[in-house]
Amino acid sequence: MRPRKENSCFFWYSKGLTSYYGIETILSVSKIHIEKSILEDFTEDYSYLLEKFDYEVFDFQDDKGNEEFTEDKYCFFASNDTIVYLLNKVYRNLADKSKLFVKEGEGAKSSAVNLGLECSDINGSIPEFNNYKLLILGNDWGLIEQKLNYDFIQIGKNTVCVQESVLDFNVADMRMRHSSFPVFQGIVSLKNFDLNGKICAVIGNPRYEDLEWTEISSQKVLINVNFTYGIYENERTDWIDNILEACSTLDLDYLISQHPRDTGDLSKFKLVKTNAGTVHDVLKTSSVLITRFSSLIFESLCLGRPVIYYNPHGETHFYEFEPDNKCLFYATNKQELLNALDQLSKGDNQSEIANAVKNYLRRHLGTTTSGNASAYIGAFIDVAAKIPPVKQISILNKLKLDVKVLKRRLLKEKI
């Protein structure tokens, strides 16, 4: 590996991985350094980049590449149902040298059991974690994930965090910044992330790779209600009322899909409670999705359903959805919502929408729709396991984490 320089970062690439297409629209590129062994494949996949930018070829000597390491097991951890579904296929591909641990409380264990995955539940620590070569997460900013991440890093082991969905990349929450190697689902995720000195990969999201475009059989609006964890929960009622008013004006049927961690009483509405394992079947019965900030935006587009992001309450996030007013509309008031819904309910320009979805998902979900995100992530994990430790823990950060963990334990709460 080449010495680190200011304003540089390292991206993992493998033959056929086209998820970096368009990266020059996200990052300011001055020069590309390409490992000699991948030059031919990279040239085939990204000839336009080599025509557009200066590049240099280097020969990477892997002194440890042929060594057999004794600690050949990978440790997977999931704290909720979504992360289990995210890591499911990646774990299966590496199951012969991996072990899955879960945290009880948000459906992780039941989802693993339903998927036929062997797992062990923990509360605070991975048993004998020093016996594992690498830790793989789908969240590295939750308290237990931070602790597990630091447990590995402090003994010289690397960690990988796979992006589980659309994320708010604000600096305060440090999402995907605790782990050694972040794996992003699309190039747009890089917009709000400091990549300087990072070793990372842009691949896709394995949770969506089996989703296929299905025909729309009826005009029905699916309303995704996901006011969770105390965030904008006081806006829920008005938000729903605005949408139902628009549906009534246009004489459109509706169904509300309630997030498993949304606690609002919606029993008076046409309602179905969903989770990561059931929401796709519900999406297939709809013709359009209306939601606030949510990963369902991408899931709906993968299934061929256009989306309206309705944001009258002015929520702000460090992720750019890039609405194109073809497959994804952005509305901030009732009139904009009505106009967007009216346009989409007519069902016109389906071929234009399909083309817009293809271009959109390439930027936001990388190679996901090709169905091979999990295989590429598995290949990256095998490479990451051989890289020497790249991250250290500052004394201050470790002290802050210890205090948070101690506080939870004194209150007899789960970490």
Side-chain angles (χ1 to χ4, degrees):
M1 185 170 296
R2 310 210 80 182
R4 294 189 179 188
K5 297 180 180 179
E6 288 298 317
N7 299 317
S8 67
C9 60
F10 305 85
F11 289 108
W12 177 82
Y13 162 82
S14 183
K15 183 178 181 179
L17 182 61
T18 57
S19 48
Y20 295 105
Y21 190 90
I23 195 169
E24 75 282 359
T25 67
I26 305 295
L27 304 179
S28 176
V29 180
S30 58
K31 191 172 186 178
I32 303 173
H33 299 264
I34 309 169
E35 185 184 338
K36 184 178 180 180
S37 65
I38 65 170
L39 177 61
E40 183 178 347
D41 294 334
F42 188 85
T43 302
E44 183 176 343
D45 288 333
Y46 295 100
S47 59
Y48 85 96
L49 284 177
L50 302 187
E51 292 171 359
K52 190 171 185 178
F53 300 102
D54 290 338
Y55 69 93
E56 176 184 334
V57 178
F58 67 95
D59 195 3
F60 173 47
Q61 299 297 326
D62 185 0
D63 297 331
K64 298 185 178 181
N66 296 320
E67 290 184 10
E68 292 291 332
F69 48 77
T70 56
E71 302 161 351
D72 58 351
K73 298 280 283 185
Y74 302 151
C75 176
F76 284 74
F77 175 74
S79 58
N80 58 48
D81 57 336
T82 301
I83 304 299
V84 170
Y85 280 95
L86 170 77
L87 299 177
N88 173 30
K89 293 184 72 174
V90 181
Y91 174 76
R92 287 181 187 277
N93 291 341
L94 301 171
D96 61 330
K97 52 185 173 182
S98 301
K99 187 171 179 62
L100 173 64
F101 294 91
V102 298
K103 173 189 173 183
E104 272 290 13
E106 293 189 20
K109 188 168 186 178
S110 59
S111 295
V113 171
N114 289 339
L115 290 169
L117 302 176
E118 291 187 13
C119 64
S120 300
D121 55 315
I122 65 166
N123 180 24
S125 296
I126 301 292
E128 300 180 329
F129 60 85
N130 57 304
N131 290 333
Y132 298 92
K133 183 66 177 178
L134 195 72
L135 173 67
I136 298 100
L137 305 161
N139 170 334
D140 68 354
W141 57 93
L143 184 57
I144 188 170
E145 287 86 359
Q146 286 188 51
K147 181 185 180 302
L148 299 181
N149 186 73
Y150 287 150
D151 284 347
F152 274 71
I153 289 175
Q154 70 182 353
I155 62 170
K157 306 293 181 71
N158 286 317
T159 62
V160 173
C161 183
V162 181
Q163 185 176 349
E164 59 100 353
S165 67
V166 56
L167 295 176
D168 181 356
F169 285 110
N170 70 79
V171 177
D173 288 338
M174 293 288 290
R175 291 183 173 96
M176 297 185 70
R177 292 174 172 91
H178 295 279
S179 58
S180 309
F181 308 123
V183 178
F184 299 100
Q185 66 180 20
I187 57 172
V188 175
S189 294
L190 306 178
K191 281 189 175 184
N192 295 290
F193 203 97
D194 181 6
L195 293 169
N196 190 39
K198 283 286 186 181
I199 302 172
C200 58
V202 178
I203 298 177
N205 191 314
R207 188 156 63 96
Y208 311 148
E209 68 181 16
D210 290 332
L211 299 183
E212 296 180 349
W213 191 290
T214 60
E215 292 296 322
I216 296 174
S217 59
S218 62
Q219 291 294 317
K220 180 185 291 184
V221 178
L222 184 64
I223 305 168
N224 178 45
V225 177
N226 64 330
F227 294 86
T228 57
Y229 303 113
I231 301 173
Y232 295 108
E233 290 197 33
N234 60 325
E235 303 287 346
R236 182 191 294 109
T237 300
D238 288 343
W239 188 85
I240 294 174
D241 288 345
N242 288 353
I243 297 171
L244 294 184
E245 181 181 329
C247 289
S248 177
T249 300
L250 298 172
D251 194 26
L252 293 172
D253 193 12
Y254 79 90
L255 179 66
I256 289 178
S257 168
Q258 187 173 25
H259 189 283
R261 287 172 279 284
D262 182 292
T263 58
D265 181 4
L266 307 180
S267 56
K268 67 178 180 180
F269 302 113
K270 296 179 183 178
L271 174 69
V272 59
K273 295 190 176 184
T274 57
N275 57 45
T278 61
V279 70
H280 298 149
D281 288 335
V282 177
L283 272 168
K284 291 175 185 177
T285 68
S286 70
S287 57
V288 60
L289 172 72
I290 302 178
T291 184
R292 53 174 292 270
F293 186 91
S294 172
S295 66
L296 277 193
I297 290 175
F298 299 145
E299 293 162 83
S300 183
L301 292 174
C302 286
L303 292 167
R305 272 61 179 167
V307 181
I308 301 172
Y309 181 161
Y310 186 43
N311 184 23
H313 44 283
E315 63 185 20
T316 57
H317 300 283
F318 286 84
Y319 187 89
E320 297 183 30
F321 279 101
E322 302 181 328
D324 61 358
N325 292 329
K326 293 178 182 177
C327 63
L328 174 61
F329 290 73
Y330 183 75
T332 60
N333 57 55
K334 290 195 291 184
Q335 189 58 52
E336 291 176 354
L337 171 65
L338 183 64
N339 292 344
L341 189 56
D342 183 36
Q343 181 174 332
L344 290 174
S345 66
K346 294 175 181 177
D348 298 334
N349 302 318
Q350 290 302 303
S351 61
E352 182 180 359
I353 292 176
N355 189 55
V357 168
K358 180 180 179 180
N359 293 332
Y360 186 92
L361 292 179
R362 172 188 271 183
R363 289 176 61 81
H364 292 262
L365 289 185
T367 190
T368 300
T369 56
S370 298
N372 52 19
S374 57
Y376 276 119
I377 292 172
F380 174 74
I381 287 172
D382 281 335
V383 171
K386 298 180 181 179
I387 299 176
V390 300
K391 198 175 182 70
Q392 294 181 337
I393 309 166
S394 71
I395 296 176
L396 179 59
N397 286 339
K398 185 64 170 67
L399 180 61
K400 288 179 179 178
L401 178 62
D402 289 342
V403 170
K404 291 178 182 177
V405 171
L406 179 60
K407 183 177 179 181
R408 287 279 185 94
R409 285 176 170 163
L410 288 174
L411 293 173
K412 296 183 179 180
E413 297 176 350
K414 286 187 176 182
I415 301 174

